[in-house]
Amino acid sequence: MTLRWGALMHTVAEMRQIVFIDGPDGAAKHSRFWILLALSSVIAAAGVVGDSTATVIGAMIVAPLMTPILGVVLATVIGDRRNLLVSAGLVLGGAAAAILIGWLIGFFDPLPVVAANNSQVAARVSPKIIDLVGALATGAVGAIALVRKDISDTLPGVAIAISLVPPLSVVGLTLESGALHEAGGALLLFAANVAAILATGVIVLLGFRIGSAPHAERADGVSMWGARRRSVVTVLITLVIIGIPLGGTSIRVTQQALEIDDVRSAVQPWADDLGLDVVGITADGDQVVVSLEGEPPEPSTAELAPRLEAAGVDPADVVIEYSPAYRIELGG
């Protein structure tokens, strides 16, 4: 192993101790992982149900999933097949457990937990390319923190920046609520974050020349460099595959935002002329829903259609929801 900054670098043995759940204290590490995983999943699910950002952030700090993901990264670079399988198993098993806990908590909540009535869910069911970009940078910081002693104290910040358990809680909660599309979006966000950590983590560790020399061989006779290269290619291909739906979501969200702006430019002057309040304008599938409030009688939309067409919006794509506001005077 080549050390560029001497004492500033963790050795491979030290890194193994940090991220691998093995050795004489392996049982204690396993119990610690599952205890923290269960508690962080409960905290995250409760935070999502309560729509509490502070509680969800607390779950991110407690969540232990970053450790086995970095374990996959280190095992890939140094060619440790056993710990690669163990770490990957912990990631998959931990993810399944977090989803199950989210589903159970949702089962006991009388109301559906979906994007329409919960901002924590809404923030995690439509992942975009920018989420992947942020995850790539965060994964790089996590890998550098693993290698360098002088910045290893940034790992709690990395845990907050990279959202792992909360999206899994959203998967469980939305599955229980019957919102399969939203559950898929949250699962895609989790997968994108994991793929980003793996990609940048492997690249960073190889950049620090962690592991044996390129010509070394593993116990099974396979070239270490060849094994690493295949691992890197696999991770990058996975990243590209995940990036395709993220790109599609980014385009869809951008188009919806532009359409909402066009609708707003037509609706707001019309509503002002009639003394109506625009409560909200949201996208619902292929339609834009405009929520209005005002005193009776129900307003005529005859003048709105031409305004929408002038703004480049098909009136058939716009739905008006009108809520009458009655004025009641007390006394006299």
Side-chain angles (χ1 to χ4, degrees), residues 55 76-77 113 126 201 207 210 231 260 264 281 292:
T55 304
T76 298
V77 172
V113 183
S126 297
I210 302 299
S231 298
I260 287 174
R264 188 184 303 277
I281 303 177
L292 299 174

Side-chain angles (χ1 to χ4, degrees), residues 2 17 19 31 35 38 50 58 65 96 167 242 245 289 308 312 330-331:
T2 301
Q17 180 65 24
V19 299
S31 64
I35 289 172
L65 275 176
I242 290 176
V289 179
L308 289 170
L330 301 179

